[in-house]
């Protein structure tokens, strides 16, 4: 800043010049702090993921709650997020991976449907979803009760699902009853 642009003004004192420079330097820092705090508060206000479970008896509810308690904090490279409604868990803010305990039998399932076993847990995936690489996938555990469904968004389906299913197998086998082998 040059004084020639200030008409009839007294020269700035060194203390006032320092305060003015400091104010100019701190203004962007203050603005960035406000933006960061606003984003942090907005993130805290995100809505929980809604889950719908079937009606469960007391034993089934207890088994589902124990399962959910033992699920990992991270799955598919995403952090676990808050859920509401039914019993389950979700990972990721946008297009989350969602696990529902007390899921209905898939409408595509019949006596001739294939089941894929991985680490002692039988998963059913509708053929149409397997054939369409751009579709979301709903994988349902048919070997244990109550049924568990894992909904995986299309963009996550090729990120090593077998590894994540192995992670889920241990708590499923520990807390849910095996009702039929995978065929």
């Amino acid at each position: 800043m040059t004084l020639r642009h200030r008409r009839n003004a007294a020269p700035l004192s060194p203390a006032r010049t320092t305060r003015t420079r400091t104010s100019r330097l701190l203004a962007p820092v203050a603005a960035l702090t406000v933006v960061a705090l606003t984003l942090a508060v907005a993130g805290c206000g995100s809505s929980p993921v809604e889950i719908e479970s079937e009606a469960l008896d007391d034993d089934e509810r207890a088994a589902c709650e124990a399962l959910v308690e033992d699920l990992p904090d991270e799955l598919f490279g995403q952090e676990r997020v808050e859920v509401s409604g039914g019993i389950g868990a979700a990972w990721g803010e946008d297009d989350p991976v969602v696990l529902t305990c007390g899921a209905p039998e898939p409408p595509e399932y019949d006596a001739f449907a294939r089941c894929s076993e991985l680490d002692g847990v039988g998963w059913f995936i509708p053929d149409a979803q397997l054939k369409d690489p751009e579709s979301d996938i709903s994988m349902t555990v048919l070997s244990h009760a109550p049924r568990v469904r894992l909904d995986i968004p299309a963009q996550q389906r090729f990120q090593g699902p077998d590894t994540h299913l192995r992670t889920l197998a241990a708590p499923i086998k520990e807390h849910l009853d095996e009702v039929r082998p995978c065929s």
Side-chain angles (χ1 to χ4, degrees):
M1 178 166 121
T2 60
L3 295 178
R4 63 184 147 144
H5 294 285
R6 295 176 46 126
R7 274 195 189 167
N8 300 323
L12 295 175
S13 69
R16 186 168 174 197
T17 303
T18 302
R19 277 194 307 264
T20 304
R21 283 187 200 137
T22 304
S23 297
R24 272 191 250 135
L25 290 174
L26 289 179
V29 172
L32 287 174
T33 302
V34 168
V35 169
L37 287 173
T38 302
L39 290 174
V41 169
C44 292
S46 62
S47 300
V49 175
E50 190 67 29
I51 293 179
E52 292 183 32
S53 297
E54 289 192 317
L56 301 169
D57 65 30
D58 290 343
D59 290 339
E60 292 171 328
R61 178 172 288 285
C64 281
E65 288 172 350
L67 167 68
V68 169
E69 183 70 28
D70 279 353
L71 293 174
D73 292 334
E74 187 177 301
L75 197 67
F76 284 85
Q78 300 182 91
E79 293 295 318
R80 195 162 165 176
V81 296
E82 185 179 348
V83 298
S84 66
I87 301 173
W91 296 267
E93 292 288 330
D94 298 323
D95 291 326
V97 172
V98 179
L99 182 138
T100 302
C101 191
E105 184 171 280
E108 303 88 349
Y109 181 74
D110 62 29
F112 303 103
R114 289 183 319 148
C115 175
S116 299
E117 185 177 320
L118 187 64
D119 282 0
V121 176
W123 296 90
F124 168 75
I125 306 169
D127 285 335
Q129 293 176 10
L130 282 173
K131 292 175 184 175
D132 181 3
E134 295 182 15
S135 74
D136 297 343
I137 289 192
S138 290
M139 305 176 72
T140 306
V141 173
L142 297 175
S143 60
H144 291 71
R147 274 186 297 279
V148 170
R149 184 181 65 234
L150 184 66
D151 296 314
I152 305 170
Q155 68 267 21
Q156 303 285 344
R157 72 183 275 168
F158 297 110
Q159 294 185 8
D162 287 0
T163 301
H164 304 293
L165 296 180
R166 282 186 175 94
T167 300
L168 297 174
I172 288 171
K173 291 186 298 187
E174 180 179 343
H175 298 291
L176 306 182
D177 294 328
E178 185 172 9
V179 292
R180 63 181 158 191
C182 186
S183 56

